[in-house]
Amino acid sequence: MSNRSTSGAGSAAATEDIDHSVELGHGNSPAAWTTVAIMLVGAAIACIAFALGSAATVLFIIGVVIMIIGLGVGYGLRAAGYGVGGHKLKSDGH
């Protein structure tokens, strides 16, 4: 009898060997944290505006624009070397 489950979707993926020795990083970088913080502010503004109704349509759009700006800031910081494995984050011993 096998210990592996064969029921349900994705059972083929469950039987494949997974390499756990690779460091995932999980996006723990200044670029990722800044992006998430800006996008959370934009999402909060958009959610509040959505709850207020049609009178706050402009406020909702402002929240969405802030979220898009957050994405741009994240890409810019990553390109500047502040992303995972970026050259600005590597210690050179000094």
Side-chain angles (χ1 to χ4, degrees):
M1 197 182 263
S2 174
N3 288 339
R4 294 183 181 185
S5 173
T6 57
S7 63
S11 62
T15 60
E16 294 177 12
D17 291 330
I18 298 172
D19 183 11
H20 293 283
S21 66
V22 177
E23 179 65 35
L24 296 178
H26 300 288
N28 192 10
S29 68
W33 283 102
T34 305
T35 301
V36 169
I38 293 171
M39 292 184 75
L40 280 174
V41 170
I45 292 170
C47 288
I48 291 169
F50 185 79
L52 292 175
S54 62
T57 302
V58 173
L59 190 59
F60 177 81
I61 293 171
I62 289 171
V64 171
V65 168
I66 289 173
M67 288 189 283
I68 293 169
I69 289 170
L71 279 175
V73 168
Y75 283 122
L77 285 172
R78 187 179 69 179
Y82 291 101
V84 172
H87 67 278
K88 297 277 182 144
L89 301 179
K90 295 187 180 185
S91 175
D92 59 358
H94 293 275

